[in-house]
Amino acid sequence: MKVVLLEGDGIGPEVTSAACRVVAAAGVAVDWIRADAGLNAAETHGDPLPEVTLDLIRQHRVALKGPCTTPVGKGYRSINVRLRKGLDLYASVRPVKTIPGVKVPYEKVDLIVVRENTEGLYAGLEHQVIPGVIESLRVITKPACERIVRYAFDYARTAGRKRVTFCHKADVMRLSDGLFLECARAVAEEYPFIAFDEKPIDNLCLELALDPSPFDVLVMENLFGDVISDLCAGLVGGLGVVPGANLGSRYAVFEAVHGSAPDIAGQGIANPTAVIRSAAMMLDYVGERAAAARIELAVARTLQAGHGLTKDLGGTGNTQTITDEIIKHLGA
Ligand code: NAI
């Protein structure tokens, strides 16, 4: 099986190579097709997301991606925004589940954040009206609203989930979130067997902080989803453990929630768990379900056993020791 590998920047090469080791140890023979993205690509191709990289993903359909640094204030558009728009990866899916052994103040968290990935304020449409005045356009369209809410319900149906919560700020952004809410209600009627509720985004934050356990599938627009994904990662142990997928109707790119972590890059101490779990999601997507489940179980056992863990998980180990432990537990 061929899968495109974007190592990315900062800790990207360290954590993606750990994930490749685990996939091989799980017995899946993947022929990784390396493609450039990020700062290195900017230097070699003059573009942090060269067309040749997009073409490789179009050819092979599936990619595993490390985080990419987007330099701020240098005229670059976010690589991730371009990738998601360029391949129409309209659904970001982030499963957030309590991991036994990881010390957090919450128990029984088991929710999925489904984020619309192509529109909203991240449409990237900004302009200067006059010096000192900038306008950002928040683009919300009916087809994009309907397909992301439908995605959330289809996900709920196939994953045996019971409730979809649509998160919005329709009382203030009456037209844009008003349209989104209208679409969500209409799509919800197609799924009478799944409960549906609506929650203002500020209330959602309060309730997640107080008790995240009742939430099931959450669906929302781009910016809200970006913020809520990181918040939810914090509920179960932080950025180092939560995996993610960017899915469209043709292509799929799997990546962790975290960024390139320049503060710890090159030291061999990054936690590779989130990318390893993203690789497990990728295997599940391509039908290697048994291997995916084995990796998930090995990660859970490793975190519970507590040996070789990285500093962010309270351990004294490093990228290699935690990867070795996960591989050891694959055989258990
Ligand atoms: P970040 O996620 O890279 O780092 C935030 C904090 O979490 C840092 O203290 C970092 O050391 C820690 N951290 C992150 N991942 C970790 C891991 N696997 N193990 C241990 N500690 C970890 O977020 P930040 O600093 O805001 O962004 C850095 C760069 O990454 C920026 O250029 C940003 O644009 C980019 N970024 C890229 C993303 C992607 O490619 N999907 C997502 C988020 C940010």
Side-chain angles (χ1 to χ4, degrees):
M1 176 179 49
K2 290 185 174 165
V3 175
V4 178
L5 178 67
L6 313 180
E7 292 183 327
D9 298 312
I11 60 171
E14 304 162 46
V15 290
T16 52
S17 73
C20 294
R21 277 185 64 205
V22 172
V23 168
V28 184
V30 173
D31 182 4
W32 298 101
I33 312 289
R34 280 163 209 275
D36 293 330
L39 294 181
N40 288 337
E43 278 163 27
T44 45
H45 301 264
D47 182 353
L49 184 63
E51 199 54 34
V52 62
T53 294
L54 287 171
D55 281 343
L56 278 170
I57 302 174
R58 288 187 188 110
Q59 185 183 343
H60 299 291
R61 303 277 179 130
V62 179
L64 180 68
K65 175 182 168 294
C68 293
T69 302
T70 297
V72 178
K74 294 195 179 163
Y76 284 116
R77 273 186 69 202
S78 160
I79 298 163
N80 296 311
V81 171
R82 281 180 59 201
L83 183 71
R84 291 162 195 167
K85 281 198 73 129
L87 298 174
D88 198 24
L89 303 170
Y90 69 87
S92 158
V93 180
R94 286 166 181 180
V96 177
K97 192 170 178 181
T98 306
I99 308 166
V102 177
K103 288 195 191 75
V104 285
Y106 303 99
E107 287 173 11
K108 297 185 193 154
V109 181
D110 185 7
L111 58 86
I112 310 286
V113 181
V114 176
R115 159 188 172 191
E116 204 292 322
N117 239 354
T118 61
E119 295 194 337
L121 271 175
Y122 287 10
L125 298 174
E126 294 188 320
H127 66 273
Q128 179 176 279
V129 182
I130 52 169
V133 180
I134 305 293
E135 280 182 353
S136 292
L137 296 182
R138 186 170 189 266
V139 179
I140 300 287
T141 66
K142 192 173 174 205
C145 295
E146 287 176 347
R147 76 174 171 173
I148 194 66
V149 178
R150 199 164 277 124
Y151 180 89
F153 273 99
D154 283 337
Y155 182 99
R157 186 174 49 79
T158 49
R161 299 262 170 180
K162 302 288 177 237
R163 181 159 73 116
V164 172
T165 302
F166 175 69
C167 315
H168 64 89
K169 194 66 187 169
D171 55 336
V172 176
M173 292 178 282
R174 288 167 182 268
L175 281 181
S176 53
D177 270 11
L179 171 64
F180 213 148
L181 181 56
E182 207 178 279
C183 293
R185 287 174 180 166
V187 172
E189 283 182 13
E190 298 169 19
Y191 300 83
F193 41 86
I194 294 170
F196 172 70
D197 63 353
E198 309 162 2
K199 201 151 288 288
I201 194 74
D202 41 352
N203 290 15
L204 175 75
C205 291
L206 175 72
E207 290 180 29
L208 283 171
L210 290 172
D211 178 13
S213 61
F215 290 102
D216 200 342
V217 177
L218 304 174
V219 58
M220 64 200 77
E221 66 88 56
N222 212 336
L223 169 66
F224 293 160
D226 192 10
V227 176
I228 294 295
S229 300
D230 275 26
L231 187 159
C232 288
L235 303 175
V236 297
L239 295 171
V241 295
V242 175
N246 296 295
L247 307 171
S249 48
R250 294 167 71 89
Y251 313 112
V253 176
F254 296 82
E255 65 174 338
V257 176
H258 62 72
S260 55
D263 52 336
I264 57 167
Q267 300 174 38
I269 57 171
N271 183 354
T273 305
V275 177
I276 290 170
R277 297 182 72 201
S278 303
M281 283 179 83
M282 182 272 290
L283 291 178
D284 191 69
Y285 178 88
V286 298
E288 292 283 356
R289 299 233 158 103
R294 279 180 61 221
I295 293 174
E296 268 295 310
L297 190 61
V299 167
R301 286 182 174 156
T302 301
L303 298 184
Q304 199 156 19
H307 303 304
L309 303 190
T310 44
K311 199 170 155 202
D312 59 307
L313 293 172
T316 54
N318 55 37
T319 311
Q320 181 164 350
T321 56
I322 189 170
T323 309
D324 290 344
E325 288 294 322
I326 291 170
I327 290 172
K328 202 164 86 188
H329 282 98
L330 274 174

